[in-house]
Amino acid sequence: MISHSKLRTEPSYGLCGGLADALSVALSAPRRLSHTLPLLIFLTAAAGCQSGADGLGTAKNTDIKAPSSKVEETFGETGTEVTLLLPRGASGVYEGAARDVRDGAALSVGELGNGQVFVKVIDVSGGAGAVPAAVSAAKARNSALLISYAPPAVTSAIAAMPSDQRPPLVNLGDDVPATAGNIYNFASDELDSALEGIRAAATGGHKKVMVFAPRDFPPTYEMRLADAIRAGGTYAGTARYDLSDAAAADAVQKSKAQLQQADTVVILGKSVIVPTVAGAIKASGQGNLVLIGTSAWPSQAYADPAVAGATIAMVEPDDASLIADRYKRHLGRTLSTDAAYGYDAIAIAAGIIRVKGPAGVTAENLTMKTGFRGVTGLFRLSPGGNVERKLSLFTITGGKLNLLGAAPKAF
């Protein structure tokens, strides 16, 4: 969805210097934080604030191509270090999502670093055993922030280190326990999207919820979803479906008794089988069902008449198109969610450091109640280690998403 979006900027903060001054005042005057801090992440996001014509003028490696496994990458040349921990693939280069995170971070530091922040990329493909040395070295270099996109075992090893022995950690991968403190799980998933859709349905009086989920949907996620539904309504159960048209239709047929107890149906999944499930539900003959989709649904599914009328909660696509255009021009591929997370994680650090200095990247400033606005929407980090995002509501009509309700502008 990110690739179809357009970034919103704030006209009153069009000049870099003016915005920096405004944020400096905001951070030195705590009573007024609620009016200005949601813009922190955008202190240089306007086009006029780029460090070079395309926002990559300060990066040492402006083409952002995959390096040899022997090369240690640094993006930006001066300022405070932000350490990016990524695993290289078997070929010795960053691949897939890890590559996207790195490239999003590189674009961000080029546009937002302003000579005050640089990114050092550290390979953690050696596994959890290599974590203590890598993190200790980062702390010795006075790194202000760790950003990790790695297997859960690696990120969990970082998170298990006492908070006074490492910089704060922003985790872009699967959630890890945040018991040691100063750890922030940053990625949102389809569960967040589903829960927001369920809340929206509940405001209209639809509180009896049935869930359809792919066979590999994690049981822990199912439990979280069920508990959230029970907190404000009735949980009619979850039916699992396999990824074939026949199996998906059969799963719906076998769940008719549960469906009859529901007035809301949530379909989880990111495959083209989603419309088959929706079609089978509609063919069951039960009327007055509210259909809830998720941000994981493939966009090609929208064209299927079976999903017409479905409600989906997601980050408004309009938040990312400005960087999406530049990302595609530099990298030759579409901006992904992982790349957008990499961009925003760097932007958080760059914004705080520019206003408060390197010592300002603290738990207090990372968890400001006013939050941050970035290319992944309006969000805030919690002391408990989670991220809360404000999502917009869309409905599928005419084969495309149409806005039902925009996300709030502030928390």
Side-chain angles (χ1 to χ4, degrees), residues 90-181:
S91 63
V93 299
Y94 296 111
E95 301 170 342
R99 178 188 61 174
D100 287 353
V101 168
R102 182 203 62 177
D103 292 346
L107 182 64
S108 185
V109 78
E111 295 185 347
L112 310 180
N114 291 288
Q116 298 183 47
V117 177
F118 71 92
V119 175
K120 190 176 187 67
V121 186
I122 301 297
D123 174 29
V124 291
S125 57
V131 161
V135 173
S136 296
K139 184 173 175 60
R141 295 190 303 267
N142 295 315
S143 173
L145 183 69
L146 301 175
I147 300 173
S148 173
Y149 181 87
V154 172
T155 304
S156 293
I158 303 170
M161 297 179 68
S163 59
D164 62 350
Q165 295 180 19
R166 55 166 169 77
L169 170 65
V170 172
N171 170 37
L172 307 186
D174 293 338
D175 287 2
V176 297
T179 51

Side-chain angles (χ1 to χ4, degrees), residues 159 166 176-185 382-386:
R166 55 166 169 77
V176 297
T179 51
N182 229 353
I183 298 158
Y184 309 99
N185 293 301
S382 76
N386 297 315

Side-chain angles (χ1 to χ4, degrees), residues 6 8 47 95 121 144 174 185 190 213 223 226 278 294 310 337 354-355 359 376 394:
K6 181 169 63 178
R8 292 191 302 268
E95 301 170 342
V121 186
D174 293 338
N185 293 301
E190 70 169 328
M223 291 176 60
T294 79
T337 301
R354 180 167 181 175
V355 179
T376 58
F394 296 84

Side-chain angles (χ1 to χ4, degrees), residues 304-391:
D304 194 305
V307 301
T311 299
I312 299 180
M314 64 173 65
V315 171
E316 194 160 332
D318 281 356
D319 281 338
S321 69
L322 182 58
I323 76 158
D325 293 341
R326 294 197 298 278
Y327 185 90
K328 189 166 187 177
R329 185 164 67 249
H330 285 288
L331 282 307
R333 62 184 189 277
T334 301
L335 178 73
S336 69
T337 301
D338 293 309
Y341 285 154
Y343 188 98
D344 273 359
I346 295 298
I348 294 171
I352 294 175
I353 289 169
R354 180 167 181 175
V355 179
K356 296 285 284 185
V361 187
T362 63
E364 180 181 6
N365 288 329
L366 288 166
T367 60
M368 291 178 295
K369 291 183 179 180
T370 45
F372 307 90
R373 180 175 292 281
V375 298
T376 58
L378 176 65
F379 62 87
R380 64 183 174 189
L381 305 174
S382 76
N386 297 315
V387 65
E388 179 185 355
R389 296 184 194 278
K390 291 297 185 181
L391 304 178

